[in-house]
Amino acid sequence: IDEAHLKSINAWRSHAGLSNVQPPHRIDLSDMNWPHILQNGIESLSSSSSSSSSSPSLSSSSSSSSFPQSSSSPFKFQTLFCANVVHIAPWKVAGGLFSGAASLLQPAGGRLLLYGPFKRGGQHTAPSNA
């Protein structure tokens, strides 16, 4: 992942002023332990008192937001978004994404949103996706 991409995501997030959208994170979806790694990283972000850094690194102090608590997990997401991954990554990555999302999403109404060049009715939805 290019660091410039993460900085751009963080800049748009900041510009939009969306307090419910967390900083971008590097995640290895083929590592079946990624939900635990993400939870630990976000716990350290949410417990930090410093919010001056704009770095999206899990080990930085880039967010002072708090996360909803759950008895089975430190927090549950309402939504997870994954762009341009499933169609090009090894199947192990897709399996890791779905398995991890199942453990991280809220049980009632949690959503995994996928964006990519998918087909409808066997046809690409845009010429650039072919």
Side-chain angles (χ1 to χ4, degrees), residues 61-84:
S61 302
S62 60
S63 173
S64 60
S65 300
S66 60
F67 292 85
Q69 299 298 306
S70 165
S71 59
S72 62
S73 159
F75 60 86
K76 294 287 185 176
F77 287 100
Q78 180 180 15
T79 305
L80 292 174
F81 175 74
C82 183
N84 295 325

Side-chain angles (χ1 to χ4, degrees), residues 1-11 24-26 53-58 60:
I1 296 178
D2 187 332
E3 189 67 29
H5 296 157
L6 296 177
K7 286 180 181 180
S8 174
I9 293 167
N10 214 32
H25 302 287
R26 270 191 187 89
S53 170
S54 63
S55 169
S57 167
L58 287 177
S60 75

Side-chain angles (χ1 to χ4, degrees), residues 37-130:
I37 295 166
L38 180 64
Q39 288 173 339
N40 287 341
I42 290 179
E43 282 176 350
S44 71
L45 287 175
S46 64
S47 65
S48 172
S49 60
S50 170
S51 62
S52 61
S53 170
S54 63
S55 169
S57 167
L58 287 177
S59 62
S60 75
S61 302
S62 60
S63 173
S64 60
S65 300
S66 60
F67 292 85
Q69 299 298 306
S70 165
S71 59
S72 62
S73 159
F75 60 86
K76 294 287 185 176
F77 287 100
Q78 180 180 15
T79 305
L80 292 174
F81 175 74
C82 183
N84 295 325
V85 172
V86 175
H87 67 290
I88 59 171
W91 188 242
K92 180 179 180 182
V93 170
L97 170 64
F98 296 131
S99 176
S103 71
L104 290 174
L105 288 168
Q106 296 173 357
R111 302 276 194 264
L112 172 61
L113 304 177
L114 298 178
Y115 174 86
F118 301 108
K119 293 180 179 181
R120 289 191 183 146
Q123 300 297 315
H124 287 286
T125 57
S128 62
N129 291 342

